[in-house]
Amino acid sequence: MAEFRAVFAAHLLSLLGVVVSELALTVLVYDLTGSPLLSALTFALGLLPYIVGGTLLAGVADRYPARRVLVVCDLLCAVCVAVMLVPATPVAGLLALRCLVAAIAPVFTGTRMAALTDILGEGDLYVLGRSLLRIVSQSAMLIGFGAGGLLLTVLSPRGAITVTVATFLCSAALLRFGTRDRPARATRGDGGGTLLAESLSGARLILGDRRVRALMLLFWVPPTFVVAPEALAAPYADAIGAPPAALGLLLCAMAVGHIGAELFVGSALSPRNRSRIVLPVAAAGLLPLLVYAVRPGLPLALAALALAGAGAAYVIGLDQWFVDAVPRELRGRAMTLLTAGLMTVQGLGMALAGLAAEFFPVHQVVAGSGIVGTVCTLLLVAEARRTDPRRRSCTEGRDGADRHVTSR
């Protein structure tokens, strides 16, 4: 399908550009300041503004035509990155521009996710399309950091950042000329008139729906805990006396497991079976981290991380459930909020893991993340079962009830 190919190519280009720019900007800030704290803060600022943009600007995704939103987001990001290239831009300005790009990102991603339902429909093609984009995201992270490292051997940090301007502009062109112009999902003024009011009222409606809230938390909670071994990869490699190359393996293992599982589930399982495995796989997905309780060596740790990454395959079926549960007129806002929350909880999970490692051994922190995360996920699995409309319909039919079964 031509439209999806354009979205796919735009996604790949912009993602590679963002990864390269993150690495180059971190090096640039360190070169200018010599401060490890500010260099690390550059990475953190790629996550923290997501919740602001995803909450306060979510109404954009439904209020305006999707193609226009996507193109404008790409152009705004290109302008921000172009200003970073100006030598006179101070470090504070670089960090502020990084925040602005990160605030725009959830609006772009949420709009694109919602637009996929228009391009691919709301059924299996959408689920497989989302899965493919996730696989590309995981792969691009691995490739992008490698490519960024190579670029920095031949270009200055600002020279490497220039690549990002080009990728954003190419992405905007692909989306402008490769996708159809469709009307906005919601009419102007739905939810209170102003953009802020629409965004906040949409968040209230989305989170106020018991079924949607349970599914959104299923997207959010396991990643909050599964990031612990990645956040603590460097101290763990040091603790077990692994060679320097082991750090790269520890950081890649989970992504490799995730990619392999998504490819298998998306190609080998039917939609019905993908739906069946959502709750069991979500419930068991963090259990491999318990291996860290015995302070495993590198081979066993890598196997545990790959299995934990494979556990993320439950989201393929969860994507379909989420689309089915969210009304069309709220879909852009729901996808934007979902994206913003996902990035935020991962940043929070990394921070909490680092804090815990100040008081407890690293291997105990990772194992504890697996235990606490599994307990929290099991509670959400039970809630997802209780709010399943098919289950409630069967129960009410058996009891002879004649009432609505949705929570909206």
Side-chain angles (χ1 to χ4, degrees):
M1 183 179 292
E3 277 193 282
F4 180 72
R5 286 195 294 270
V7 172
F8 177 86
H11 172 66
L12 180 59
L13 279 172
S14 61
L15 187 59
L16 285 172
V18 167
V19 173
V20 170
S21 70
E22 285 179 346
L23 183 59
L25 186 60
T26 301
V27 174
L28 176 61
V29 169
Y30 185 73
D31 287 346
L32 292 173
T33 65
S35 169
L37 174 61
L38 288 176
S39 180
L41 185 61
T42 305
F43 262 119
L45 290 176
L47 297 175
L48 299 179
Y50 262 74
I51 194 62
V52 177
T55 303
L56 302 183
L57 303 177
V60 171
D62 290 317
R63 192 181 203 190
Y64 301 101
R67 188 177 73 177
R68 186 189 309 170
V69 173
L70 295 173
V71 171
V72 169
C73 284
D74 265 338
L75 294 177
L76 286 174
C77 289
V79 170
C80 290
V81 176
V83 176
M84 293 178 188
L85 299 175
V86 178
T89 304
V91 172
L94 293 174
L95 297 180
L97 291 166
R98 180 77 180 96
C99 284
L100 184 56
V101 171
I104 294 170
V107 178
F108 179 89
T109 305
T111 303
R112 187 190 62 218
M113 288 168 61
L116 281 180
T117 62
D118 298 325
I119 296 170
L120 300 176
E122 299 178 5
D124 198 44
L125 276 180
Y126 166 78
V127 173
L128 294 177
R130 282 278 298 130
S131 176
L132 181 59
L133 292 183
R134 269 195 302 270
I135 291 171
V136 170
S137 296
Q138 292 287 333
S139 302
M141 291 292 290
L142 302 178
I143 297 170
F145 281 123
L150 289 175
L151 280 174
L152 288 172
T153 64
V154 296
L155 297 175
S156 68
R158 281 195 168 92
I161 292 173
T162 304
V163 174
T164 304
V165 179
T167 59
F168 277 130
L169 292 176
C170 289
S171 174
L174 283 166
L175 293 169
R176 171 61 181 82
F177 299 107
T179 60
R180 287 173 48 197
D181 189 19
R182 295 179 174 85
R185 288 179 186 80
T187 58
R188 187 183 296 265
D190 284 356
T194 67
L195 176 60
L196 178 61
E198 289 178 23
S199 300
L200 294 177
S201 66
R204 284 194 295 270
L205 288 171
I206 292 161
L207 296 176
D209 184 297
R210 185 178 175 185
R211 173 66 173 172
V212 175
R213 184 172 63 247
L215 298 182
M216 191 168 283
L217 288 172
L218 265 181
F219 276 109
W220 289 348
V221 169
T224 304
F225 296 95
V226 83
V227 297
E230 291 183 320
L232 301 175
Y236 187 74
D238 181 63
I240 62 175
L247 178 59
L249 294 175
L250 289 170
L251 290 172
C252 292
M254 199 174 291
V256 171
H258 188 171
I259 292 169
E262 286 245 9
L263 286 171
F264 173 77
V265 172
S267 61
L269 299 186
S270 66
R272 181 180 180 87
N273 286 331
R274 288 199 293 267
S275 181
R276 284 177 172 174
I277 69 169
V278 170
L279 298 183
V281 173
L286 293 169
L287 292 179
L289 299 186
L290 300 187
V291 170
Y292 272 76
V294 300
R295 200 168 176 264
L298 184 61
L300 187 55
L302 291 175
L305 290 174
L307 284 174
Y314 76 94
V315 300
I316 299 181
L318 191 59
D319 277 332
Q320 184 65 66
W321 291 6
F322 194 71
V323 169
D324 292 341
V326 177
R328 185 180 184 278
E329 66 274 11
L330 289 174
R331 197 166 289 156
R333 280 167 282 186
M335 299 297 190
T336 301
L337 185 61
L338 173 62
T339 302
L342 183 59
M343 296 300 292
T344 302
V345 298
Q346 289 181 89
L348 180 62
M350 289 180 180
L352 291 176
L355 178 62
E358 292 289 324
F359 302 97
F360 302 98
V362 171
H363 69 282
Q364 292 181 5
V365 173
V366 176
S369 296
I371 294 171
V372 176
T374 298
V375 171
C376 294
T377 303
L378 286 172
L379 295 174
L380 288 174
V381 165
E383 176 69 359
R385 288 187 186 279
R386 283 193 293 267
T387 59
D388 189 339
R390 295 167 300 178
R391 178 185 177 91
R392 294 166 66 184
S393 295
C394 291
T395 302
E396 293 185 1
R398 185 182 64 238
D399 295 341
D402 183 20
R403 60 184 182 273
H404 294 293
V405 297
T406 60
S407 57
R408 286 186 288 275

